[in-house]
């Protein structure tokens, strides 16, 4: 494979010899519906992409970690050690792999020797297509292979999430790491985040394409209001629990919620919780609709999801709203919504094959006219999970 050869050449240039290097890949992800439900015990419906992150890695005879990213060549080789796995701002992107190595060690999967690793990703950085979760799951895969460990994909996802929560400091849910570690070609994953039970649903839809629309408005999860939203939901749940015995917002139906929402003191928190509850219901209904072949209903629920994220959860912003509203007006569009955390990043659109060019032209024109810089569009394929390529 072309990428493998390119990666090995680059590895040799940076680290001297690629004779013993192994090559790995982990995908990025896009979520079709079920946003901001994963830390509320609700359902999500993401899928892995064929774009993602590659790495070439070779074992060292000492305990050093030497890491290089072909995406950030100006940062050069960043050095660390298995005996010094602590977060350091100046270590930049290498904090992600370091966090994974530390969390894995704490679960009984330590690396005994150091590694030289070269990473290269083709997920647009900061786009909300989970480049960081992709690096995390990829690092888990490398570690599993070099360590000879037999842990499964779900464990790998949990290690990645723990690295994000405890090492990086972003209180994300399990969706991104799970979607990446458990990806299956042409399938989306219907995951119940309360139990981690899941089911694959085929999403290769005849004559329909998935188009990702990138606002090109960069978003760092850490700086965003992500943790604030999560805290608002936790507080709303605690208020609800004074009147009803419920383990999570995802365990409530919308009609139950209507009965009890008066217990939430602030109108803002009430709206946040309402989003979590209604989005979970929409996700369950959307998957049923898809299984019944009712694509129009699936698209309608995607649109409703965006409105709820815009009005109740308030995580869209002018860039995402401009893209999505423009897409809704294009004939041939089945549904469109923001995807991922929000606050910039990407939207996802299901569109009839024959309307892809019109979509890109019309939405692209409207976006540049309103926002002042261009959006980017990717017609994507649903890919499989992570693995070793060589
Ligand atoms: C980010 C987080 C996920 C999830 C989404 C919103 O991608 O990493 O855990 O909460 O936002 O659905």
């Amino acid at each position: 494979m072309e990428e493998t050869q390119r990666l090995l050449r680059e590895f040799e240039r940076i680290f001297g010899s690629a004779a013993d290097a192994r090559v790995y890949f982990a995908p990025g992800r896009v979520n079709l519906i079920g946003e901001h439900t994963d830390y509320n015990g609700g359902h999500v419906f993401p899928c892995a992409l064929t774009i993602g992150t590659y790495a070439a890695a070779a074992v060292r005879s000492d305990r050093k970690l030497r890491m290089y990213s072909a995406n950030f060549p100006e940062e050069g080789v960043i050095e660390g050690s298995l005996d010094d796995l602590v977060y350091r701002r100046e270590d930049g992107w290498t904090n992600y792999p370091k966090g994974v190595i530390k969390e894995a060690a704490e679960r009984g999967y330590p690396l005994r020797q150091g590694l030289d690793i070269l990473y290269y990703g083709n997920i647009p950085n900061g786009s909300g297509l989970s480049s960081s979760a992709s690096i995390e799951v990829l690092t888990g895969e490398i570690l599993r292979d070099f360590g000879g460990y037999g842990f499964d994909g779900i464990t790998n996802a949990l290690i990645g999430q723990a690295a994000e929560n405890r090492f990086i400091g972003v209180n994300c849910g399990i969706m991104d790491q799970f979607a990446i570690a458990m990806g299956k070609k042409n399938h989306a994953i219907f995951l119940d985040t309360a139990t981690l039970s899941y089911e694959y649903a085929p999403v290769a839809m005849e004559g329909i394409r998935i188009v990702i629309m990138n606002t090109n408005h960069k978003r760092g999860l850490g700086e965003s209001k992500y943790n604030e939203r999560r805290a608002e939901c936790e507080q709303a749940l605690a208020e609800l629990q004074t009147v009803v015995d419920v383990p999570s917002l995802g365990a409530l139906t919308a009609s139950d919620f209507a009965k009890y929402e008066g217990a939430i003191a602030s109108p803002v928190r009430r709206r946040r919780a309402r989003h979590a509850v209604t989005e979970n219901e929409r996700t369950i209904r959307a998957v049923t609709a898809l299984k019944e072949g009712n694509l129009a209903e699936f698209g309608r629920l995607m649109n409703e999801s965006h409105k709820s994220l815009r009005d109740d959860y308030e995580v869209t912003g002018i860039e995402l709203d401009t893209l999505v509203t423009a897409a809704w007006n294009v004939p041939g569009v089945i549904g469109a919504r923001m995807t991922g955390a929000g606050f910039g990043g990407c939207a996802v659109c299901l569109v009839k094959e024959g309307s892809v060019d019109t979509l890109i032209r019309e939405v692209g024109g409207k976006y540049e006219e309103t926002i002042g810089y261009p959006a980017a569009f990717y017609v994507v394929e649903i890919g499989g999970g992570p693995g070793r390529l060589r």
Side-chain angles (χ1 to χ4, degrees), residues 29 31 34-39 172-176 221 226 340-341:
R29 71 94 187 91
N31 188 23
E35 218 66 82
H36 290 280
T37 48
D38 67 343
Y39 50 85
C172 67
I174 190 64
M175 172 171 74
D176 303 345
L221 263 192
Y226 186 89

Side-chain angles (χ1 to χ4, degrees), residues 71-86:
N71 296 80
F72 303 108
E74 67 284 0
E75 295 188 21
V77 173
I78 300 180
E79 225 178 273
S81 157
L82 292 175
D83 303 311
D84 179 36
L85 295 169
V86 291

Side-chain angles (χ1 to χ4, degrees), residues 7 22-26 53-57 117-120 138 142:
L7 224 69
R22 303 176 187 180
V23 179
Y24 304 84
F25 172 76
T53 317
Y54 295 83
I117 316 179
L118 181 137
Y119 290 87
Y120 164 72
L138 180 63
I142 295 171

Side-chain angles (χ1 to χ4, degrees), residues 159-231:
I159 291 171
Q161 184 199 15
E164 192 82 49
N165 292 167
R166 301 177 0 146
F167 204 79
I168 306 294
V170 175
N171 266 329
C172 67
I174 190 64
M175 172 171 74
D176 303 345
Q177 291 80 6
F178 198 103
I180 290 168
M182 301 296 287
K184 182 172 171 181
K185 192 171 170 52
N186 289 334
H187 288 73
I189 309 174
F190 182 43
L191 169 68
D192 178 352
T193 63
T195 59
L196 296 192
S197 64
Y198 66 98
E199 189 190 320
Y200 290 109
V203 280
M205 296 159 285
E206 193 70 31
I208 304 294
R209 303 308 306 258
I210 300 176
V211 179
I212 293 178
M213 312 187 287
N214 189 349
T215 60
N216 281 325
H217 179 74
K218 290 223 176 6
R219 166 199 58 83
L221 263 192
E223 308 139 21
S224 77
K225 297 199 168 277
Y226 186 89
N227 287 352
E228 185 186 296
R229 288 293 179 282
R230 185 167 181 157

Side-chain angles (χ1 to χ4, degrees), residues 136-348:
E136 287 157 4
V137 170
L138 180 63
T139 306
E141 196 67 21
I142 295 171
L143 195 149
R144 167 164 66 179
D145 191 40
F146 276 101
Y149 297 125
F151 60 77
D152 60 11
I154 298 184
T155 304
N156 190 0
L158 288 166
I159 291 171
Q161 184 199 15
E164 192 82 49
N165 292 167
R166 301 177 0 146
F167 204 79
I168 306 294
V170 175
N171 266 329
C172 67
I174 190 64
M175 172 171 74
D176 303 345
Q177 291 80 6
F178 198 103
I180 290 168
M182 301 296 287
K184 182 172 171 181
K185 192 171 170 52
N186 289 334
H187 288 73
I189 309 174
F190 182 43
L191 169 68
D192 178 352
T193 63
T195 59
L196 296 192
S197 64
Y198 66 98
E199 189 190 320
Y200 290 109
V203 280
M205 296 159 285
E206 193 70 31
I208 304 294
R209 303 308 306 258
I210 300 176
V211 179
I212 293 178
M213 312 187 287
N214 189 349
T215 60
N216 281 325
H217 179 74
K218 290 223 176 6
R219 166 199 58 83
L221 263 192
E223 308 139 21
S224 77
K225 297 199 168 277
Y226 186 89
N227 287 352
E228 185 186 296
R229 288 293 179 282
R230 185 167 181 157
E232 286 167 341
C233 286
E234 279 164 8
Q235 202 181 333
L237 175 65
E239 290 169 287
L240 286 168
Q241 284 169 333
T242 63
V243 295
V244 56
D245 183 18
V246 67
S248 68
L249 295 177
L252 281 175
T253 62
S255 60
D256 280 342
F257 180 72
K259 266 186 248 157
Y260 303 121
E261 66 177 323
I264 304 171
S266 110
V268 170
R269 277 198 305 281
R270 221 173 294 147
R271 283 192 281 120
R272 305 297 190 246
R274 187 191 308 135
H275 167 76
V277 170
T278 59
E279 180 75 352
N280 183 43
E281 279 201 351
R282 272 188 294 276
T283 306
I284 298 167
R285 276 158 55 199
V287 174
T288 306
L290 191 69
K291 283 185 190 158
E292 290 167 351
N294 190 348
L295 208 56
E297 175 67 0
F298 189 87
R300 193 189 64 79
L301 291 162
M302 286 177 79
N303 299 349
E304 291 302 309
S305 164
H306 185 85
K307 290 177 196 160
S308 178
L309 289 155
R310 180 189 66 195
D311 303 336
D312 280 344
Y313 220 62
E314 296 182 278
V315 294
T316 55
I318 175 84
E319 296 85 1
L320 283 166
D321 288 336
T322 302
L323 280 182
V324 169
T325 316
W328 288 342
N329 288 325
V330 175
V333 166
I334 315 286
R337 55 180 290 278
M338 59 151 269
T339 184
F343 314 104
C346 287
V348 59

Side-chain angles (χ1 to χ4, degrees), residues 27-30 46-50 179-180 183-184 187 189 381-385:
R29 71 94 187 91
V30 64
C47 46
L49 298 170
T50 52
I180 290 168
K184 182 172 171 181
H187 288 73
I189 309 174
E381 306 286 338
I382 299 182

